[in-house]
Amino acid sequence: DCTPQSKRDLVLSERSRRGRVAMVGDGVNDALALAASDVGIAISRPGGNVARGAADVILWDGDLKALPGAIRLARSLRRLILVNMSLALGCMGVMVVGASLGATSPLAAAVLHNVGAVAILIHCGLFVGCELRRRDSSTNSSGRAPVRSLVS
């Protein structure tokens, strides 16, 4: 039986046996299983609106070959977010310590805040540049980069 409930039950069974589970689906019958999985990946096809709504990641061109690129992009974005959060918290920490010691004037705090914001923007710009270069150098057989297919 490949009913929506049986697919969901299989995902839940695998989660209890193995831990984290990813589910790939493309239609209405997959929505329950996609929602029950740790990572639901929908392949965009006509009539797959429910599956896309239940998924965490959508591969818009319907090509599973895009999945490794999507995973690489997700890992890179996670690193980017962690570094940016560290930069922001570091700047805020310096401002708090400076204010606590009476060493930071309001003007110095404002300048430090803007320096932190600019550092984060530069870091994001470098990330985008690296991703564009990586995408240009690793195209799939259709001549398009795997990362282009990802929308989450």
Side-chain angles (χ1 to χ4, degrees):
D1 272 340
C2 281
T3 65
Q5 291 77 16
S6 66
K7 290 180 181 184
R8 184 201 63 212
D9 293 344
L10 179 62
V11 167
L12 293 174
S13 169
E14 289 299 310
R15 278 181 78 181
S16 66
R17 273 188 19 183
R18 299 178 187 228
R20 290 192 261 175
V21 172
M23 166 69 186
V24 179
D26 65 352
V28 175
N29 290 339
D30 299 320
L32 287 175
L34 288 168
S37 66
D38 294 295
V39 178
I41 303 166
I43 300 172
S44 185
R45 298 237 166 94
N49 291 341
V50 176
R52 288 192 297 267
D56 300 303
V57 176
I58 302 169
L59 299 175
W60 281 106
D61 67 0
D63 186 4
L64 277 178
K65 292 177 188 172
L67 195 54
I71 292 170
R72 275 193 309 276
L73 179 61
R75 288 179 177 156
S76 295
L77 286 172
R78 184 172 191 271
R79 279 191 304 272
L80 175 74
I81 290 168
L82 290 173
V83 169
N84 286 348
M85 291 296 295
S86 299
L87 284 171
L89 291 173
C91 285
M92 287 178 10
V94 168
M95 286 189 287
V96 167
V97 169
S100 299
L101 298 174
T104 304
S105 69
L107 177 62
V111 168
L112 187 56
H113 170 76
N114 287 323
V115 166
V118 168
I120 289 171
L121 288 173
I122 289 170
H123 186 247
C124 288
L126 291 172
F127 172 80
V128 169
C130 289
E131 282 302 311
L132 289 175
R133 279 193 298 281
R134 183 178 299 135
R135 185 173 62 181
D136 289 343
S137 66
S138 66
T139 56
N140 62 23
S141 61
S142 67
R144 291 186 316 180
V147 224
R148 249 185 224 165
S149 302
L150 175 70
V151 174
S152 62

